[in-house]
Amino acid sequence: DIQMTQSPSSLPASVGDRVTITCRASQNIYNYLNWYQQKPGQAPKFLLYSASTLQSGVPSTFSGSGSGTDFTLTISSLQPEDFATYYCQQSYSPPYTFGQGTKLEIK
Amino acid sequence: EVQLVESGGGLVQPGGSLRLSCATSGFTFSGYSMNWVRQAPGKGLEWLSYISSTRTTIYYADSVRGRFTISRDDAKNSLFLQMNSLRAEDTAIYYCVREGTSGWYFDYWGQGTLVTVSS
């Protein structure tokens, strides 16, 4: 199985900050990498696919990059509604594993 | 508007069974592959199972293979998960998830149904 490792697990930040979350795959997954946002008590929300393609309706402050084994999710200017937990997921081969999550917290 | 509504969760004893349902609307269900994903209390997301739009391809996570069965009824626009031999570690919120058409991603999620396995 492909293991997905996110870092950091927790990220204190302030409104207006630029933040980057890293996701590493245990083997080459090309660009089969997706990102989701989850707020407490809610279902996850789909943000990006194919490592860098933004889902319709997602603010352009979100961006993704990477290929192979190393990927990043960047939020260029944090808004209050962005404080949530973020998950990466590989869709290269089943089981379609998720990272353990990165909780973006208010500093 | 795409909607996915899970039902069938509840309290069940270890070793018991439950059948989860996911009623969908707002899209052509028969044209989409579907998945189940769960989340244990306070934990991360765990993908469980996939069924293709044509039912020809089905995948399971090792943790549920042989105990859980995914199925779909296109006439009823519904997805199902039959869960047998339930264990305490199966306690989680179970999400019904649609797979997008442009790639292998999960674009719409239901609100989830809680399954609690406890004596």
Side-chain angles (χ1 to χ4, degrees), chain B residues 63-83:
Chain B
S63 59
V64 303
R65 185 178 294 112
R67 300 188 300 125
F68 291 10
T69 302
I70 192 171
S71 63
R72 61 190 297 158
D73 184 337
D74 291 350
K76 295 183 178 180
N77 296 322
S78 294
L79 178 72
F80 305 99
L81 187 67
Q82 177 66 43
M83 306 187 297

Side-chain angles (χ1 to χ4, degrees), chain A residues 1 32 34 36 38 41-46 48-50 55 87 89 91-92 94-100, chain B residues 35 37 39 43-47 50 59-62 95 99 102-112:
Chain A
D1 296 357
Y32 289 90
N34 311 312
Y36 303 86
Q38 187 178 33
Q42 297 184 15
K45 174 188 175 183
F46 172 52
L48 293 99
Y49 66 98
S50 299
Q55 167 71 338
Y87 294 93
Q89 179 216 14
S91 53
Y92 176 66
Y96 300 122
T97 40
F98 291 87
Q100 81 278 15
Chain B
N35 294 263
V37 174
Q39 186 170 36
K43 303 298 184 182
L45 302 170
E46 179 186 15
W47 171 84
Y50 161 94
Y59 300 124
Y60 295 101
D62 288 346
Y95 294 104
E99 193 153 302
S102 301
W104 299 88
Y105 53 81
F106 299 164
D107 61 354
Y108 283 93
W109 298 60
Q111 281 305 299

Side-chain angles (χ1 to χ4, degrees), chain B residues 25-37:
Chain B
S25 60
F27 66 103
T28 305
F29 179 73
S30 61
Y32 286 83
S33 300
M34 299 294 294
N35 294 263
W36 287 98
V37 174

